[in-house]
Amino acid sequence: MRKLYGVMGDPIRHSMSPDIHNDAFRRMDINADYHLFHVLPDQLENAVKGVRALNISGFNVTVPHKTKIMPFLDEIDELAGAIGAVNTVVNREGRLVGYNTDGPGFVRGIKERLGTPLANKKTLIIGAGGAARGIYFSLVKEGITQIDICNRTLQNAKSLIEQCPYETASQAFGFEEAAEMISQYDLIVQTTSAGMSPNVSEVPFEISDRLQASALVSDIIYNPLETGFLRQAKEKGAMTHNGIDMFVYQAALAFEIWTGVTPDSTKMRQIVVNKLGG
């Protein structure tokens, strides 16, 4: 029997998830289809009931449902529970189990880009929103204990550190102070919306000449492929890393959770880049 997967969100038409998952199903000879499910906020509970009724095998969750869907699931993975958001759900014999693959997807992409262990990398996360939370908790769980967070609203950065369930030595800073301290960091992760299309020249703060040339500067935005922040980092001689890997690897991890099979992430990346015109 053909299995059904999909992604719930509002809006949802822009999603590239069907392109990458349906291609992976075909390549892996898996009898399944992946569709867009446009679910309005006031219909989320009914949509989950529909998943149960139709025995849908699994689905992704995107904005604005990642947190609100949690009470309607039967089980939440430890990391997803700590993050407070779910982006992947698998149907295990009628039990809906929620995971968060966003943070782990980011970690997998960074590890591949660096090719070296992460544990000794002093890290700065820019931003304190939902994306920062998933990445922060996932990096700490990976073994990085020296992770600082900077945010326009300092209290939000402090609150994120206080809420981390794993042991860490983190400090909170404002953007200006973090910009002054940028030479201290081996890995810098930009998680805010600054630089997202159409505001491609916007940056959270200006990168100074104090940035280490050996540092890796990552921006989770993938449209455009190179944000103003990454362009500044490249001009200072640092390595750069855009948000495509996070998108691709969170999808690959979801695929693994659903099927037990590892998809071709290189092909997934190629599809995304082609869709973006890169």
Side-chain angles (χ1 to χ4, degrees):
M1 184 175 177
R2 201 166 185 84
K3 292 186 175 182
L4 180 61
Y5 299 89
V7 55
M8 293 185 183
D10 176 37
I12 200 63
R13 288 180 62 186
H14 66 285
S15 175
M16 291 182 283
S17 294
D19 299 279
I20 59 178
H21 285 296
N22 283 323
D23 180 81
F25 286 142
R26 287 191 295 270
R27 288 177 178 276
M28 308 301 292
D29 197 26
I30 295 173
N31 190 24
D33 291 301
Y34 187 105
H35 296 278
L36 298 178
F37 301 138
H38 185 195
V39 178
L40 298 174
D42 62 354
Q43 291 299 313
L44 182 59
E45 183 175 7
N46 287 334
V48 175
K49 290 178 180 178
V51 167
R52 298 182 189 277
L54 296 171
N55 197 30
I56 291 173
S57 298
F59 58 96
N60 290 125
V61 187
T62 188
V63 293
H65 305 316
K66 290 186 178 184
T67 297
K68 294 178 181 177
I69 199 168
M70 295 175 73
F72 307 132
L73 304 178
D74 299 304
E75 184 180 339
I76 306 292
D77 172 71
E78 175 197 345
L79 181 60
I83 294 170
V86 162
N87 80 323
T88 299
V89 178
V90 62
N91 186 343
R92 294 202 174 110
E93 299 180 350
R95 285 182 57 80
L96 300 183
V97 184
Y99 295 84
N100 190 304
T101 66
D102 287 329
F106 174 83
V107 171
R108 183 180 286 193
I110 283 290
K111 289 171 71 174
E112 182 175 283
R113 179 70 174 84
L114 284 171
T116 58
L118 295 179
N120 62 344
K121 303 292 184 186
K122 186 167 185 182
T123 301
L124 174 68
I125 294 177
I126 302 170
R133 185 182 183 91
I135 290 170
Y136 177 44
F137 289 5
S138 298
L139 286 172
V140 174
K141 194 173 183 183
E142 185 68 20
I144 303 181
T145 55
Q146 291 187 315
I147 305 178
D148 296 334
I149 299 175
C150 68
N151 194 55
R152 191 178 307 279
T153 304
L154 182 60
Q155 185 54 48
N156 291 350
K158 290 180 177 179
S159 296
L160 181 52
I161 292 170
E162 291 168 358
Q163 293 164 13
C164 183
Y166 310 114
E167 185 176 348
T168 180
S170 299
Q171 298 183 72
F173 305 105
F175 284 164
E176 290 185 8
E177 190 174 2
E180 291 293 319
M181 300 169 57
I182 202 164
S183 64
Q184 299 183 19
Y185 299 102
D186 306 300
L187 173 61
I188 298 159
V189 186
Q190 204 294 108
T191 71
T192 77
S193 61
M196 185 180 294
S197 182
N199 303 313
V200 296
S201 61
E202 185 181 359
V203 295
F205 55 78
E206 300 291 326
I207 297 180
S208 73
D209 291 332
R210 288 187 288 272
L211 176 69
Q212 296 182 54
S214 60
L216 174 61
V217 180
S218 178
D219 195 320
I220 68 169
I221 293 170
Y222 57 81
N223 186 16
L225 294 173
E226 184 178 74
T227 61
F229 195 72
L230 290 186
R231 187 162 53 253
Q232 287 188 11
K234 183 183 289 185
E235 290 169 355
K236 307 301 181 186
M239 297 181 291
T240 61
H241 177 258
N242 65 26
I244 288 181
D245 277 350
M246 180 174 175
F247 177 71
V248 166
Y249 283 117
Q250 64 81 24
L253 288 169
F255 193 95
E256 291 176 17
I257 289 169
W258 294 329
T259 68
V261 176
T262 301
D264 185 345
S265 56
T266 301
K267 181 59 181 176
M268 285 182 160
R269 164 184 271 275
Q270 181 183 340
I271 291 170
V272 174
V273 171
N274 289 344
K275 290 283 286 186
L276 291 171

